[in-house]
mmCIF file of all heavy atoms in Angstrom:
data_model
loop_
_atom_site.group_PDB
_atom_site.id
_atom_site.type_symbol
_atom_site.label_atom_id
_atom_site.label_comp_id
_atom_site.label_asym_id
_atom_site.label_seq_id
_atom_site.Cartn_x
_atom_site.Cartn_y
_atom_site.Cartn_z
ATOM 1 N N LEU C 120 13.193 38.242 -19.045
ATOM 2 C CA LEU C 120 12.790 37.079 -19.739
ATOM 3 C C LEU C 120 13.439 35.861 -19.206
ATOM 4 O O LEU C 120 12.783 34.787 -19.071
ATOM 5 C CB LEU C 120 13.048 37.207 -21.263
ATOM 6 C CG LEU C 120 12.229 38.270 -21.977
ATOM 7 C CD1 LEU C 120 12.680 38.377 -23.437
ATOM 8 C CD2 LEU C 120 10.732 37.929 -21.908
ATOM 9 N N LEU C 121 14.754 35.915 -18.919
ATOM 10 C CA LEU C 121 15.521 34.821 -18.397
ATOM 11 C C LEU C 121 14.939 34.372 -17.005
ATOM 12 O O LEU C 121 14.852 33.187 -16.716
ATOM 13 C CB LEU C 121 16.960 35.123 -18.334
ATOM 14 C CG LEU C 121 17.921 34.028 -17.845
ATOM 15 C CD1 LEU C 121 17.816 32.827 -18.748
ATOM 16 C CD2 LEU C 121 19.364 34.517 -17.677
ATOM 17 N N ILE C 122 14.653 35.381 -16.193
ATOM 18 C CA ILE C 122 14.112 35.103 -14.861
ATOM 19 C C ILE C 122 12.780 34.385 -14.934
ATOM 20 O O ILE C 122 12.505 33.380 -14.267
ATOM 21 C CB ILE C 122 13.991 36.359 -14.022
ATOM 22 C CG1 ILE C 122 15.346 36.920 -13.689
ATOM 23 C CG2 ILE C 122 13.209 36.122 -12.737
ATOM 24 C CD1 ILE C 122 15.310 38.271 -12.962
ATOM 25 N N LEU C 123 11.902 34.820 -15.886
ATOM 26 C CA LEU C 123 10.626 34.188 -16.070
ATOM 27 C C LEU C 123 10.808 32.765 -16.602
ATOM 28 O O LEU C 123 10.124 31.872 -16.121
ATOM 29 C CB LEU C 123 9.776 35.019 -17.025
ATOM 30 C CG LEU C 123 9.152 36.287 -16.524
ATOM 31 C CD1 LEU C 123 8.434 37.066 -17.630
ATOM 32 C CD2 LEU C 123 8.199 36.081 -15.367
ATOM 33 N N TYR C 124 11.737 32.609 -17.460
ATOM 34 C CA TYR C 124 11.918 31.264 -18.041
ATOM 35 C C TYR C 124 12.477 30.289 -17.054
ATOM 36 O O TYR C 124 12.047 29.122 -17.027
ATOM 37 C CB TYR C 124 12.899 31.396 -19.240
ATOM 38 C CG TYR C 124 13.261 30.076 -19.891
ATOM 39 C CD1 TYR C 124 12.364 29.415 -20.730
ATOM 40 C CD2 TYR C 124 14.493 29.468 -19.642
ATOM 41 C CE1 TYR C 124 12.640 28.190 -21.307
ATOM 42 C CE2 TYR C 124 14.817 28.238 -20.204
ATOM 43 C CZ TYR C 124 13.891 27.625 -21.030
ATOM 44 O OH TYR C 124 14.228 26.409 -21.603
ATOM 45 N N THR C 125 13.436 30.697 -16.220
ATOM 46 C CA THR C 125 14.075 29.773 -15.328
ATOM 47 C C THR C 125 13.359 29.636 -13.977
ATOM 48 O O THR C 125 13.712 28.740 -13.216
ATOM 49 C CB THR C 125 15.524 30.252 -15.056
ATOM 50 O OG1 THR C 125 15.477 31.620 -14.505
ATOM 51 C CG2 THR C 125 16.399 30.214 -16.298
ATOM 52 N N SER C 126 12.355 30.472 -13.749
ATOM 53 C CA SER C 126 11.633 30.319 -12.481
ATOM 54 C C SER C 126 10.472 29.364 -12.652
ATOM 55 O O SER C 126 10.559 28.325 -13.315
ATOM 56 C CB SER C 126 11.152 31.714 -12.017
ATOM 57 O OG SER C 126 10.270 32.273 -12.950
ATOM 58 N N ILE C 127 9.339 29.695 -12.052
ATOM 59 C CA ILE C 127 8.210 28.762 -12.055
ATOM 60 C C ILE C 127 7.434 28.742 -13.328
ATOM 61 O O ILE C 127 6.482 28.014 -13.486
ATOM 62 C CB ILE C 127 7.260 29.097 -10.868
ATOM 63 C CG1 ILE C 127 6.654 30.561 -11.128
ATOM 64 C CG2 ILE C 127 7.978 29.005 -9.567
ATOM 65 C CD1 ILE C 127 5.595 30.916 -10.124
ATOM 66 N N ILE C 128 7.790 29.583 -14.339
ATOM 67 C CA ILE C 128 6.972 29.743 -15.504
ATOM 68 C C ILE C 128 7.180 28.643 -16.558
ATOM 69 O O ILE C 128 6.256 27.967 -16.974
ATOM 70 C CB ILE C 128 7.237 31.103 -16.143
ATOM 71 C CG1 ILE C 128 7.028 32.253 -15.168
ATOM 72 C CG2 ILE C 128 6.299 31.319 -17.393
ATOM 73 C CD1 ILE C 128 5.604 32.321 -14.664
ATOM 74 N N VAL C 129 8.432 28.328 -16.914
ATOM 75 C CA VAL C 129 8.691 27.419 -18.017
ATOM 76 C C VAL C 129 9.578 26.257 -17.569
ATOM 77 O O VAL C 129 9.175 25.074 -17.615
ATOM 78 C CB VAL C 129 9.266 28.166 -19.213
ATOM 79 C CG1 VAL C 129 9.500 27.199 -20.334
ATOM 80 C CG2 VAL C 129 8.389 29.257 -19.678
ATOM 81 N N ARG C 130 10.862 26.550 -17.282
ATOM 82 C CA ARG C 130 11.797 25.449 -17.102
ATOM 83 C C ARG C 130 11.450 24.550 -15.968
ATOM 84 O O ARG C 130 11.770 23.345 -15.986
ATOM 85 C CB ARG C 130 13.210 26.064 -16.871
ATOM 86 C CG ARG C 130 14.315 25.026 -17.237
ATOM 87 C CD ARG C 130 15.681 25.692 -17.197
ATOM 88 N NE ARG C 130 16.106 25.966 -15.862
ATOM 89 C CZ ARG C 130 17.298 26.480 -15.519
ATOM 90 N NH1 ARG C 130 18.144 26.796 -16.496
ATOM 91 N NH2 ARG C 130 17.617 26.691 -14.238
ATOM 92 N N SER C 131 10.845 25.095 -14.915
ATOM 93 C CA SER C 131 10.457 24.209 -13.813
ATOM 94 C C SER C 131 9.455 23.142 -14.223
ATOM 95 O O SER C 131 9.377 22.024 -13.668
ATOM 96 C CB SER C 131 9.872 25.024 -12.671
ATOM 97 O OG SER C 131 8.715 25.717 -13.089
ATOM 98 N N ILE C 132 8.626 23.459 -15.230
ATOM 99 C CA ILE C 132 7.651 22.493 -15.764
ATOM 100 C C ILE C 132 8.398 21.347 -16.421
ATOM 101 O O ILE C 132 8.018 20.151 -16.240
ATOM 102 C CB ILE C 132 6.719 23.195 -16.770
ATOM 103 C CG1 ILE C 132 5.891 24.266 -16.131
ATOM 104 C CG2 ILE C 132 5.834 22.176 -17.440
ATOM 105 C CD1 ILE C 132 4.990 25.057 -17.069
ATOM 106 N N VAL C 133 9.433 21.638 -17.198
ATOM 107 C CA VAL C 133 10.162 20.629 -17.887
ATOM 108 C C VAL C 133 11.063 19.790 -16.943
ATOM 109 O O VAL C 133 11.234 18.622 -17.151
ATOM 110 C CB VAL C 133 11.007 21.245 -19.007
ATOM 111 C CG1 VAL C 133 11.825 20.215 -19.751
ATOM 112 C CG2 VAL C 133 10.139 22.010 -19.988
ATOM 113 N N GLU C 134 11.601 20.423 -15.904
ATOM 114 C CA GLU C 134 12.579 19.773 -15.025
ATOM 115 C C GLU C 134 11.900 19.023 -13.946
ATOM 116 O O GLU C 134 12.572 18.192 -13.284
ATOM 117 C CB GLU C 134 13.517 20.829 -14.474
ATOM 118 C CG GLU C 134 14.452 21.401 -15.494
ATOM 119 C CD GLU C 134 15.455 22.410 -14.907
ATOM 120 O OE1 GLU C 134 15.200 22.803 -13.748
ATOM 121 O OE2 GLU C 134 16.418 22.735 -15.600
ATOM 122 N N TYR C 135 10.635 19.242 -13.674
ATOM 123 C CA TYR C 135 9.977 18.573 -12.518
ATOM 124 C C TYR C 135 10.050 17.072 -12.649
ATOM 125 O O TYR C 135 9.567 16.485 -13.616
ATOM 126 C CB TYR C 135 8.560 19.044 -12.403
ATOM 127 C CG TYR C 135 7.748 18.232 -11.336
ATOM 128 C CD1 TYR C 135 7.950 18.439 -10.031
ATOM 129 C CD2 TYR C 135 6.829 17.304 -11.742
ATOM 130 C CE1 TYR C 135 7.233 17.712 -9.077
ATOM 131 C CE2 TYR C 135 6.080 16.581 -10.839
ATOM 132 C CZ TYR C 135 6.286 16.792 -9.500
ATOM 133 O OH TYR C 135 5.631 16.085 -8.555
ATOM 134 N N GLY C 136 10.658 16.446 -11.660
ATOM 135 C CA GLY C 136 10.673 14.926 -11.622
ATOM 136 C C GLY C 136 11.466 14.301 -12.774
ATOM 137 O O GLY C 136 11.196 13.126 -13.064
ATOM 138 N N SER C 137 12.394 15.036 -13.372
ATOM 139 C CA SER C 137 13.155 14.490 -14.572
ATOM 140 C C SER C 137 13.901 13.171 -14.172
ATOM 141 O O SER C 137 14.196 12.382 -15.061
ATOM 142 C CB SER C 137 14.038 15.507 -15.132
ATOM 143 O OG SER C 137 14.980 15.962 -14.195
ATOM 144 N N VAL C 138 14.222 13.052 -12.870
ATOM 145 C CA VAL C 138 14.911 11.815 -12.508
ATOM 146 C C VAL C 138 14.019 10.607 -12.696
ATOM 147 O O VAL C 138 14.558 9.503 -12.792
ATOM 148 C CB VAL C 138 15.401 11.941 -11.002
ATOM 149 C CG1 VAL C 138 14.160 11.943 -10.066
ATOM 150 C CG2 VAL C 138 16.356 10.831 -10.652
ATOM 151 N N VAL C 139 12.708 10.837 -12.740
ATOM 152 C CA VAL C 139 11.818 9.710 -12.965
ATOM 153 C C VAL C 139 11.607 9.364 -14.407
ATOM 154 O O VAL C 139 11.684 8.232 -14.809
ATOM 155 C CB VAL C 139 10.425 10.020 -12.301
ATOM 156 C CG1 VAL C 139 9.418 8.911 -12.614
ATOM 157 C CG2 VAL C 139 10.580 10.209 -10.810
#
Side-chain angles (χ1 to χ4, degrees):
L120 291 176
L121 182 61
I122 292 175
L123 286 175
Y124 176 77
T125 56
S126 62
I127 63 174
I128 304 299
V129 181
R130 201 173 73 178
S131 60
I132 298 175
V133 179
E134 293 181 345
Y135 170 73
S137 59
V138 68
V139 174

